[in-house]
């Protein structure tokens, strides 16, 4: 129904109801009044006739009584009358009385249908001498009333219709027409989908507010539509710039409901297949990853929790494409309903990671070789220091031998040999002969003294040679156990590193202070890697002391608990120190502050410490304040799977190998050269 019809209905129905109510009320009221007047009029007529008929009844004058009753013909509503004597005899009658005459009554009117029946006593001298039966008809009164009501209703209806018409015209002008125009504008906007259309502002407070509000809503909708279009354009631009695919799928059926256009150039499959075929997306997942992908999606849907996963997919051209998906799960009433994700192409990244892994392995090998070279350099450096001392001792012995007066002694012996026949006279009488005994005594004393000094130098040479054999034997022992983990006393590791660098520290006048907790547990390490780290730290400390101080060079090594599962070996020096900006860089590959450094030592040492379950850190108060390096190693635990059994050759003894007692052939073997 149109708004005009609704307004007409709203106006007309109340009017009709009001008219009906008013007419009904008026008719009911008039009927009641007419009935009351009819009863009152009938009683009055009956009383008058009864009073006038008393004499005729007393004298038994039937003609007079009949004349009296016929006078009732002037009353249109009286149908008939009967005078009944007490014994039931009819004295006179008029018209068409209904029913049998009654000889008693109370003077009340009995209404039956269209008739009213009344019995009025005829009294004479206080005695009832007869009864007047009077019958009246009130339909004539009702017919007049009906005509009145009909005309009244017609008049009211005409007046109401005129009023309704006036109201409708007024309401149409001030209400329905503006609403119809507003409805037309809304329909036009809906048909054309053009929110730039505006409604004409109407007169009146409510309609004016309505049209202004309507136009404001249109303006907001238009601005929001413009913003949505801009956002949509930006979103499309972003989606086009993302080197991946944005998608949406049903969480239960896994049917893809949306996928961005980047999916076609990336995988080379027709775009429609992703939307039309629910199982297509899973079909092109690499068979080696399919089960893992399905399990990951099932778990995410069950937990209503997002996830990230990397897996491989196959393109239409046979290419294997690495995908990294970031998936969000949308839930309704506690159950997953929708999956939304971004699939990024990380194929190049995976290739770069593989290349990086290969480079890392090469770098680790280079670092390992560099570390081995570092250890070998330290070994050779210390061997060189010892050999320098050996060379000094040998030169000293040679100089002593050169300075000996062996020729003079030989000439003295020749002189005695030439005079052996008269040796006594020669020694007593000859001036040269008398000097020979004193000379021989002096030469003997000198030879005894030089013999002692040469024996001392030979002992020193022997100690140097033994030191060389210890260094070589230690290097051989550590080289044999490289790559094997074993429990070892941390103090033993420190002592071995110090023993290798002892000659260097002595030559550079470095005082070494060693502080060890006697109750420390063993650590689980690769002996070769741990020694390599310590030798590197001691070498760095030596260089720092050489560069930072000319005297008072002190190197302190502390071994103490770090936490219940680790111990700490602290190498502290009072050397040149480390600048604060370099503390975070010294462990980077290739970084060094030495002119001839390569930047492998600390980097490979930190990596080796992490591989053994520990770490390597450094602290310093700045340039000129020394530095401290802390090597944290893991405490050995029973049943550690990295520890080889005691029966494994070359790995069962956790103590440092004893120096070989034989010659050089015992120290070095042809099949185990130094690195």
């Amino acid at each position: 129904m149109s708004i005009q019809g609704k307004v007409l209905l709203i106006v007309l129905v109340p009017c009709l109801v009001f008219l009906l109510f008013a007419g009904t009320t008026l008719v009911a009221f008039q009927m009641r009044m007419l009935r009351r007047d009819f009863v009152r009029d009938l009683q009055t007529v009956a009383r008058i006739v009864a009073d006038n008929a008393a004499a005729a009844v007393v004298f038994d004058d039937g003609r007079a009584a009949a004349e009296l009753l016929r006078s009732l013909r002037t009353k249109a509503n009286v149908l008939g009358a009967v005078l009944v004597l007490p014994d039931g005899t009819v004295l006179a009658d008029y018209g068409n009385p209904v029913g049998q005459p009654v000889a008693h009554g109370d003077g009340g009117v009995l209404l039956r249908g269209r008739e009213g029946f009344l019995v009025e006593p005829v009294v004479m001298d206080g005695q009832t001498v007869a009864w007047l039966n009077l019958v009246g008809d009130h339909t004539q009164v009702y017919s007049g009333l009906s005509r009145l009501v009909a005309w009244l209703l017609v008049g009211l209806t005409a007046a109401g219709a005129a009023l309704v018409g006036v109201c409708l015209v007024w309401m149409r002008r001030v209400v329905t027409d503006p609403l119809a125009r507003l409805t037309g504008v809304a329909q036009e906007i809906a048909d054309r989908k053009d929110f730039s259309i505006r409604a004409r502002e109407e007169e009146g407070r409510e309609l004016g507010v309505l049209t202004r509000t309507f136009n404001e809503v249109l303006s907001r909708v238009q601005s929001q539509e413009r913003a949505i279009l801009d956002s949509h354009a930006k979103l499309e631009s972003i989606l086009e710039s993302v080197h991946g695919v944005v998608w949406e799928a049903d969480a239960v059926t896994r049917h893809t409901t949306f996928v961005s256009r980047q999916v076609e150039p990336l995988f080379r499959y027709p775009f429609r297949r992703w939307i039309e075929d629910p199982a297509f997306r899973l079909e092109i997942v690499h068979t080696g990853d399919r089960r893992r992908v399905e399990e990951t999606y099932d778990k995410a849907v069950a937990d209503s929790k997002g996830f990230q996963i990397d897996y491989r997919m196959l393109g239409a051209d046979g290419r294997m494409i690495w995908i990294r998906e970031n998936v969000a799960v949308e839930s309704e009433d506690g159950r997953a309903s929708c999956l939304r994700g971004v699939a990024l192409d990380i194929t190049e990244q995976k290739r770069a990671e593989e290349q990086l892994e290969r480079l890392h392995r090469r770098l680790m090998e280079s670092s390992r070789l560099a570390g081995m070279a570092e250890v070998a350099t330290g070994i050779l450096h210390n061997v060189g220091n010892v050999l320098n001392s050996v060379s000094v001792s040998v030169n000293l012995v040679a100089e002593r031998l050169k300075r000996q007066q062996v020729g003079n002694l030989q000439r003295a012996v020749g002189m005695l040999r030439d005079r052996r026949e008269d040796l006594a006279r020669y020694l007593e009488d000859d001036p040269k002969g008398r000097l020979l005994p004193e000379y021989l005594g002096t030469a003997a004393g000198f030879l005894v003294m030089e013999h002692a000094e040469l024996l001392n130098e030979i002992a020193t040479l022997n100690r140097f040679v033994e030191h060389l054999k210890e260094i070589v034997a230690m290097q051989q022992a550590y080289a044999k156990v490289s790559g094997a983990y074993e429990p070892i006393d941390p103090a033993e590791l420190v002592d071995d590193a110090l023993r290798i660098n002892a000659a260097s520290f002595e030559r550079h006048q470095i005082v070494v202070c060693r502080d060890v907790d006697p109750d420390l547990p063993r650590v689980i390490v690769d002996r070769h890697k741990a020694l390599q780290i310590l030798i590197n730290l001691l070498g760095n400390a030596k260089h720092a002391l050489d560069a930072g101080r000319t005297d008072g060079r002190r190197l302190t090594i502390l071994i103490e608990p770090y936490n219940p599962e680790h111990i700490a070996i602290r190498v502290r020096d009072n050397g040149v120190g480390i600048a604060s900006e370099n503390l975070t860089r010294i462990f980077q590959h290739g970084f060094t502050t030495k002119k001839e450094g390569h930047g492998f030592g600390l980097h490979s040492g930190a990596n080796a410490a992490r591989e053994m379950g520990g770490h390597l850190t450094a602290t310093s108060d700045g340039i000129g304040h020394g530095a401290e390096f802390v090597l944290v190693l893991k405490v050995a635990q029973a049943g550690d799977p990295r520890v080889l059994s005691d029966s494994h050759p070359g790995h069962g003894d956790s103590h440092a190998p004893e120096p070989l007692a034989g010659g050089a052939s015992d120290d070095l073997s042809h099949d185990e050269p130094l690195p």
Side-chain angles (χ1 to χ4, degrees):
M1 184 179 292
S2 65
I3 190 169
Q4 293 183 357
K6 292 179 181 178
V7 170
L8 176 62
L9 188 62
I10 290 172
V11 174
L12 187 59
V13 168
C15 291
L16 291 177
V17 170
F18 174 76
L19 289 175
L20 288 175
F21 175 76
T24 303
T25 302
L26 181 61
V27 169
F29 177 76
Q30 289 296 329
M31 288 183 64
R32 179 169 180 165
M33 294 299 295
L34 289 174
R35 179 177 293 183
R36 188 186 63 181
D37 293 343
F38 170 75
V39 170
R40 185 181 302 166
D41 183 57
L42 194 64
Q43 289 176 341
T44 301
V45 170
R47 191 173 300 112
I48 293 173
V49 172
D51 291 343
N52 293 326
V57 172
V58 170
F59 292 104
D60 194 22
D61 186 356
R63 178 177 296 180
E67 287 293 335
L68 181 62
L69 293 180
R70 280 196 296 272
S71 64
L72 294 175
R73 62 177 176 270
T74 58
K75 303 293 292 182
N77 58 347
V78 177
L79 298 178
V82 178
L83 277 174
V84 183
L85 298 178
D87 58 1
T89 303
V90 175
L91 178 63
D93 59 3
Y94 165 74
N96 297 315
V98 179
Q100 188 174 358
V102 178
H104 57 80
D106 56 0
V109 178
L110 178 63
L111 299 177
R112 293 180 300 185
R114 54 180 290 184
E115 297 173 348
F117 184 72
L118 179 141
V119 178
E120 181 72 22
V122 179
V123 181
M124 187 66 175
D125 297 332
Q127 291 184 356
T128 302
V129 293
W131 295 90
L132 175 63
N133 292 199
L134 193 63
V135 179
D137 182 8
H138 56 82
T139 56
Q140 293 183 0
V141 177
Y142 285 165
S143 62
L145 178 63
S146 298
R147 287 192 297 271
L148 176 62
V149 169
W151 283 110
L152 181 61
L153 289 177
V154 170
L156 289 175
T157 301
L163 181 62
V164 167
V166 172
C167 291
L168 286 177
V169 170
W170 177 78
M171 291 187 67
R172 179 174 181 179
R173 184 176 63 84
V174 301
V175 179
T176 59
D177 284 351
L179 291 178
R181 286 193 294 270
L182 192 61
T183 302
V185 172
Q187 185 63 44
E188 184 180 3
I189 293 172
D191 294 339
R192 296 171 55 182
K193 294 181 175 54
D194 182 6
F195 293 99
S196 63
I197 300 174
R198 295 292 181 268
R200 188 185 71 184
E201 186 170 344
E202 301 292 342
E203 298 178 356
R205 184 171 58 185
E206 291 82 1
L207 288 175
V209 171
L210 178 61
T211 52
R212 286 194 299 272
T213 305
F214 182 76
N215 290 333
E216 290 177 2
V217 169
L218 287 177
S219 299
R220 293 182 182 180
V221 170
Q222 186 179 11
S223 61
Q224 290 176 359
E225 182 190 32
R226 189 180 298 109
I228 291 173
L229 292 176
D230 293 342
S231 300
H232 184 70
K234 292 180 181 178
L235 179 60
E236 287 185 348
S237 177
I238 292 173
L239 291 179
E240 291 177 358
S241 63
V242 172
H243 191 58
V245 178
V246 180
W247 57 268
E248 182 181 75
D250 186 89
V252 178
T253 63
R254 310 290 167 80
H255 185 192
T256 302
T257 56
F258 170 80
V259 65
S260 61
R261 289 289 176 178
Q262 283 79 358
V263 72
E264 193 166 3
L266 179 59
F267 294 99
R268 308 290 175 83
Y269 292 103
F271 179 80
R272 64 178 182 278
R273 292 194 64 182
W274 296 87
I275 303 298
E276 296 174 356
D277 189 355
F280 173 70
R281 188 162 167 268
L282 188 60
E283 289 176 356
I284 63 173
V285 175
H286 193 279
T287 54
D289 298 337
R290 189 172 299 170
R291 182 175 180 181
R292 178 171 60 90
V293 172
E294 289 181 334
E295 291 175 352
T296 302
Y297 271 85
D298 292 340
K299 186 177 185 304
V301 171
D303 298 342
S304 295
K305 188 176 180 181
F307 63 93
Q308 177 179 301
I309 184 174
D310 295 354
Y311 60 93
R312 295 164 293 177
M313 299 183 77
L314 299 177
D317 52 1
R319 292 176 300 121
M320 185 180 72
I321 305 169
W322 272 98
I323 293 297
R324 173 170 294 165
E325 277 191 332
N326 293 282
V327 181
V329 181
E330 182 177 335
S331 302
E332 291 182 3
D333 300 328
R335 299 181 62 183
S337 60
C338 180
L339 301 174
R340 295 188 180 94
V342 179
L344 302 176
D345 181 7
I346 59 170
T347 305
E348 294 300 325
Q349 179 180 340
K350 286 293 183 180
R351 291 174 181 170
E353 289 177 357
E354 293 175 359
Q355 181 68 17
L356 183 61
E357 181 64 25
R358 287 194 295 269
L359 292 176
H360 179 69
R361 287 196 296 268
R362 293 179 183 175
L363 178 60
M364 291 301 296
E365 181 66 18
S366 299
S367 298
R368 186 183 70 83
L369 295 176
M372 293 173 65
E374 185 79 17
V375 174
T377 302
I379 296 292
L380 295 177
H381 179 72
N382 289 283
V383 170
N385 290 334
V386 178
L387 289 177
N388 287 334
S389 300
V390 170
S391 178
V392 172
S393 297
V394 170
N395 289 332
L396 182 60
V397 171
E399 289 295 329
R400 290 289 177 90
L401 291 175
K402 289 179 181 179
R403 290 198 302 266
Q404 286 181 349
Q405 301 297 324
V406 178
N408 293 334
L409 183 60
Q410 188 177 4
R411 287 195 298 271
V413 172
M415 292 171 64
L416 290 176
R417 189 180 298 114
D418 292 340
R419 302 291 193 278
R420 62 177 174 269
E421 294 179 355
D422 55 349
L423 182 61
R425 188 179 62 82
Y426 175 73
L427 293 176
E428 292 178 358
D429 299 334
D430 192 289
K432 293 182 178 180
R434 288 195 299 268
L435 295 174
L436 281 177
E438 184 180 356
Y439 172 75
L440 289 175
T442 303
F446 181 76
L447 288 175
V448 169
M449 183 182 64
E450 282 198 339
H451 181 266
E453 291 178 354
L454 290 175
L455 286 177
N456 186 36
E457 289 298 328
I458 294 299
T460 301
L461 284 173
N462 188 47
R463 287 197 307 272
F464 288 152
V465 171
E466 290 298 327
H467 192 188
L468 287 173
K469 290 193 295 183
E470 288 181 6
I471 293 173
V472 173
M474 189 182 303
Q475 170 61 15
Q476 287 179 327
Y478 276 98
K480 289 180 180 179
V481 299
S482 178
Y485 284 83
E486 57 179 315
I488 187 171
D489 187 353
E492 193 175 305
L493 277 173
V494 172
D495 291 341
D496 289 344
L498 288 174
R499 191 178 298 116
I500 291 175
N501 289 277
S504 178
F505 290 155
E506 183 178 355
R507 185 165 62 89
H508 290 270
Q509 299 178 349
I510 297 175
V511 178
V512 178
C513 299
R514 178 180 176 276
D515 186 2
V516 180
D517 188 340
D519 299 325
L520 286 174
R522 290 173 175 252
V523 292
I524 178 71
V525 294
D526 180 335
R527 186 191 291 260
H528 179 77
K529 290 182 179 179
L531 181 66
Q532 174 186 332
I533 296 172
L534 289 174
I535 290 176
N536 187 275
L537 294 180
L538 294 176
N540 287 344
K542 182 193 70 175
H543 288 297
L545 289 168
D546 287 343
R549 305 184 71 89
T550 58
D551 58 356
R553 297 169 179 171
R554 180 178 296 275
L555 175 63
T556 304
I557 299 181
L558 298 91
I559 309 178
E560 59 186 13
Y562 186 77
N563 58 40
E565 297 182 354
H566 296 83
I567 63 102
I569 302 175
R570 301 180 183 272
V571 179
R572 185 182 303 157
D573 66 77
N574 60 345
V576 67
I578 305 173
S580 58
E581 63 270 15
N582 292 334
L583 281 175
T584 58
R585 304 173 59 196
I586 57 176
F587 296 104
Q588 296 177 4
H589 178 264
F591 178 81
T592 180
T593 57
K594 302 175 186 176
K595 292 182 178 179
E596 298 178 354
H598 47 64
F600 284 173
L602 290 178
H603 175 72
S604 60
N607 289 337
R610 281 195 297 270
E611 290 175 2
M612 293 186 291
H615 60 267
L616 179 62
T617 58
T619 58
S620 176
D621 292 333
I623 299 297
H625 294 85
E628 181 183 77
F629 286 82
V630 183
L631 174 61
V632 177
L633 299 176
K634 190 173 179 63
V635 173
Q637 302 289 340
D640 194 311
R642 298 179 297 176
V643 181
L644 299 178
S645 63
D646 292 342
S647 61
H648 194 284
H651 302 154
D653 189 5
S654 62
H655 297 286
E658 295 294 334
L660 299 177
S665 62
D666 296 327
D667 296 336
L668 296 174
S669 61
H670 295 291
D671 57 345
E672 293 180 356
L674 286 173

